Structures are given as C-alpha cells and as structure tokens.
C-alpha cells in the first residue's frame, strides 16, 4: 500500500471511528452566517467588517492606521468592480461578500491545483486528475484493502464531466472549483442530490424511504431506545421531508432537504452597505463613497480606539486605587 492509498484509508477509518451512534450526521448545506457578532451599527461595525472581509481578514485591519486601512480598502474596491465601470453595484458587492466568506474554498482549490496540474499549463484535465489521484488503482486494479476505488473513480469522472461546462474534459480553475465544491454552484446541484441519494438509497430503488433516511444518521448498534433527536427526525420526515406523503423522498424532495432556499445573508448585507454609503442615492457606489465610509467596511486602530482606551483607563484607575489603599 503506497502513501496516497494509506492516507485515504486512514481518513475513511478515522471518519468511521469518530461517527458515534448517537451523533447526528448533517447533510444539509446551509448558507453560513456572515459573522458571529451582533449586527448593530449603533454599537459597532464589527459585523459589517466580518461580512465584508471575512472574520480572519478583518482582524488584520484592526492593526492598521486609518490611512493604511483606507489604502488597502481602495485596492479591494478595484477588485470588486468587476466590469471596471468605476461603480460598485449591489450584485458586485454581494459576489465579493460571498467570495470573502468562502475564501477557504479557494485556498483549498489552490492547494489541490498544484498537485493536479501536472504539466503546469494552467488547466487540469481528467487524465491528470485521474493519474494523480487514482494512479495506484490503475496499476493495481484489484486492491486488497476493502475499498472500491474504481467505483470512486467512476463517480469522480461523472462529477468532473458535470463541472466541465464545454465538455472537453479539461477544467479551468473555476470548473475545478465546481468539481471539488459542487454545493457552491447552481449548475452542480443535481449531482450533489444524485450523490447523496446514492449514498443513502440502500435498496437502489431511486428513492429514500424513512428507514434509509434514519439509517444514514443513526445506527442502533444494539440499542433498543432511540435518542430523542432520532424520534424528532422521524417526525420531520413524515411532516416536512416527504411532501407528497408517499412514504419516500424523490429527487426534488431530497433537493429541498439538503439544498434549502436559505435567506441570502450576502445580498442583505450588500444592500445595507450600499444604503449606508451611497451619498448621492444613485443605487451604486464609487470608490470615493466607499473609502469615505471606510469605518463601516473595514476596521483600523481608530475604529477600535474607544474600547482599548476605556480598558486602559479602568486598569490605570484600579492601579491608583490599590496604591491609595496601602
């Protein structure tokens, strides 16, 4: 067994070992919150900073002077203005917020890209991906480790073809991103549903019945009594998942379950930022309008000044009080 094969086995075994019978497996792809901060501009713009930059990037701005913060914000605005018409629209701002929130996805793609673009031509073909990922399977078509890698390869090829819009079996970076993270792309949602159903539909009848649905989340493992959340999931299946009450979920019902139409937090935040910054009320922002309102979009030492200053005052006053008590 070579290193790649060993690592794949290790990851699968680890996942199995960590899946305790009483833990709930969640297949639903929700839009994540933009920040764990309270969205109250009367108190602070911390929520907006996290939303616009991503939580990790927002922290770096808190260390900058206002001048440095404005300069870096100006460079970001140039990236947001996709059509280079000198204005930032709600849609462009929404796209940027989505990018900032999912920066980890693009970082993951960059890491994997280097290992799969074998000829370094700026593209990844199916042959390159197959050889880099399943080369050992091709050399040993009957591995004795118990995992069906050929089936995995067939499934990957199907997804690769779906991501490859022009059908040339060569992926651009955007197509490769859709291949690795299909849940993030509308045109890939059918393959997400199909793969999910294949995982859960044990009798291969093209539907997910109640016991298959529960069995994917919970293993009785000899326990007669089900946890309360399992009973709740049974009720959820009957009341909400199985919309036509035929005792099973079809593709559309499964899609509604795992890919719900969530509230679009990014669009709501984009509209909020435009509303607060649009000085001439034309529905779009110039670079000047954004930079003028820089404290709404990004942090700096100035925007975080009152908090640390107040804390320093309290510490100093406490120090003086203790000295007077001696």
């Amino acid at each position: 067994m070579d290193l790649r094969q060993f690592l794949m086995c290790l990851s699968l075994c680890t996942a199995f070992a960590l899946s305790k019978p009483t833990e709930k497996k969640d297949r639903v792809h929700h839009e994540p919150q933009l920040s764990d901060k309270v969205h109250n501009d009367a108190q602070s713009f911390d929520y907006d900073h996290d939303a616009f930059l991503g939580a990790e990037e927002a922290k770096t701005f808190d260390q900058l002077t206002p001048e440095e913060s404005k300069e870096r914000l100006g460079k970001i605005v140039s990236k947001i203005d996709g059509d280079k018409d000198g204005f930032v629209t709600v849609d462009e701002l929404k796209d940027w917020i989505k990018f900032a929130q999912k920066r980890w996805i693009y970082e993951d793609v960059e890491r994997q890209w280097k290992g799969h673009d074998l000829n370094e031509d700026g593209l990844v073909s199916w042959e390159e991906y197959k050889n880099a990922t399943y080369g050992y399977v091709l050399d040993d078509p009957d591995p004795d480790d118990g995992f069906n890698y050929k089936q995995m390869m067939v499934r990957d090829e199907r997804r690769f073809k779906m991501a490859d819009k022009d059908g040339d079996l060569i992926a651009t970076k955007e197509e490769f991103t859709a291949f690795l993270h299909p849940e993030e792309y509308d045109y890939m949602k059918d393959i997400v549903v199909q793969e999910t159903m294949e995982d859960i539909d044990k009798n291969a009848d093209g539907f997910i019945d109640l016991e298959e649905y529960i069995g994917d989340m919970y293993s009785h493992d000899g326990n007669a009594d089900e946890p309360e959340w399992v009973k709740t999931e049974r009720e959820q299946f009957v009341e909400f998942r199985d919309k036509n009450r035929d005792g099973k979920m079809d593709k559309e019902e499964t899609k509604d379950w795992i890919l719900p139409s969530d509230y679009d937090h990014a669009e709501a935040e984009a509209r909020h930022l435009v509303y607060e910054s649009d000085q001439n009320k034309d529905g779009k922002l110039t670079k000047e309008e954004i930079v003028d309102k820089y404290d709404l979009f990004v942090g700096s030492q100035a925007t975080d000044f009152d908090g640390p200053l107040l804390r320093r005052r309290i510490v100093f006053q406490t120090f003086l009080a203790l000295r007077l008590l001696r």
Side-chain angles (χ1 to χ4, degrees):
M1 183 183 296
D2 64 16
L3 179 60
R4 184 188 300 276
Q5 193 173 0
F6 171 76
L7 291 175
M8 187 173 290
C9 289
L10 181 62
S11 64
L12 289 172
C13 291
T14 302
F16 177 79
L18 293 176
S19 298
K20 299 177 182 178
T22 56
E23 289 183 346
K24 179 180 177 182
K25 181 189 295 183
D26 190 3
R27 291 185 177 271
V28 182
H29 299 279
H30 289 293
E31 279 293 317
Q33 296 288 330
L34 302 181
S35 173
D36 59 4
K37 313 284 177 48
V38 176
H39 195 184
N40 185 349
D41 288 355
Q43 294 182 358
S44 77
F45 296 134
D46 288 345
Y47 177 96
D48 302 295
H49 298 166
D50 285 359
F52 181 72
L53 295 168
E56 290 304 313
E57 184 68 11
K59 293 176 184 177
T60 67
F61 273 78
D62 291 338
Q63 312 306 316
L64 302 178
T65 65
E67 290 71 25
E68 292 170 330
S69 190
K70 289 178 182 179
E71 181 181 357
R72 286 183 58 176
L73 176 58
K75 293 177 181 178
I76 292 174
V77 174
S78 298
K79 296 178 182 178
I80 300 174
D81 181 16
D83 57 11
K84 306 303 177 187
D85 66 348
F87 297 97
V88 170
T89 64
V90 169
D91 285 340
E92 287 173 330
L93 197 50
K94 178 183 72 173
D95 290 343
W96 168 261
I97 291 171
K98 286 181 179 291
F99 168 80
Q101 292 295 315
K102 296 172 181 176
R103 200 184 303 268
W104 67 271
I105 290 177
Y106 299 99
E107 291 172 351
D108 173 59
V109 171
E110 286 296 332
R111 285 193 297 269
Q112 298 210 42
W113 185 265
K114 295 174 182 176
H116 292 96
D117 181 13
L118 302 180
N119 62 5
E120 298 183 349
D121 66 346
L123 300 166
V124 172
S125 68
W126 166 247
E127 286 300 314
E128 284 179 311
Y129 181 83
K130 180 176 68 174
N131 290 331
T133 307
Y134 297 104
Y136 65 88
V137 177
L138 301 176
D139 295 335
D140 181 10
D142 296 308
D144 58 358
D145 50 38
F147 293 106
N148 193 338
Y149 292 111
K150 271 195 168 183
Q151 186 175 351
M152 292 168 61
M153 186 170 66
V154 169
R155 182 159 159 160
D156 271 356
E157 183 176 11
R158 183 182 63 192
R159 188 197 288 189
F160 193 97
K161 289 179 178 178
M162 179 71 74
D164 175 31
K165 286 185 172 182
D166 56 12
D168 61 358
L169 287 180
I170 299 174
T172 63
K173 190 164 287 188
E174 185 71 11
E175 290 170 335
F176 193 62
T177 304
F179 166 68
L180 294 176
H181 300 277
E183 68 281 353
E184 303 296 335
Y185 291 80
D186 285 340
Y187 80 100
M188 295 293 290
K189 288 184 176 180
D190 285 345
I191 202 74
V192 175
V193 174
Q194 184 175 358
E195 290 178 1
T196 301
M197 294 192 74
E198 288 173 351
D199 289 343
I200 303 175
D201 178 20
K202 301 305 181 185
N203 62 9
D205 66 348
F207 299 93
I208 298 174
D209 61 37
L210 175 58
E211 293 311 312
E212 289 170 332
Y213 173 78
I214 295 298
D216 181 60
M217 302 178 184
Y218 173 75
S219 173
H220 286 84
D221 197 27
N223 297 325
D225 296 330
E226 292 182 340
E228 196 62 35
W229 68 261
V230 176
K231 298 175 183 177
T232 301
E233 284 296 337
R234 288 185 180 277
E235 295 171 1
Q236 290 284 320
F237 184 94
V238 173
E239 295 297 324
F240 302 106
R241 309 279 185 248
D242 178 20
K243 298 182 186 299
N244 61 5
R245 302 292 193 274
D246 65 350
K248 53 193 177 184
M249 288 195 295
D250 57 24
K251 288 182 179 179
E252 285 304 312
E253 289 167 331
T254 302
K255 185 176 182 179
D256 290 342
W257 166 44
I258 65 172
L259 297 168
S261 299
D262 288 338
Y263 176 74
D264 196 330
H265 298 280
E267 181 174 358
E269 178 64 11
R271 293 188 180 280
H272 167 67
L273 293 175
V274 170
Y275 177 81
E276 294 294 335
S277 310
D278 185 14
Q279 296 175 12
N280 61 3
K281 303 304 177 186
D282 63 351
K284 52 191 177 182
L285 302 177
T286 62
K287 179 184 288 190
E288 290 72 21
E289 286 176 320
I290 292 175
V291 173
D292 283 349
K293 197 73 173 177
Y294 83 98
D295 57 337
L296 172 66
F297 289 86
V298 297
S300 73
Q301 293 171 352
T303 55
D304 195 35
F305 186 71
D306 289 341
L309 180 59
L310 179 59
R311 286 193 293 272
R312 287 197 296 271
R313 284 175 178 167
I314 293 173
V315 170
F316 182 67
Q317 290 169 355
T318 303
F319 172 75
L320 287 178
L322 290 173
R323 284 186 62 95
L324 291 172
L325 289 173
R326 288 181 180 178

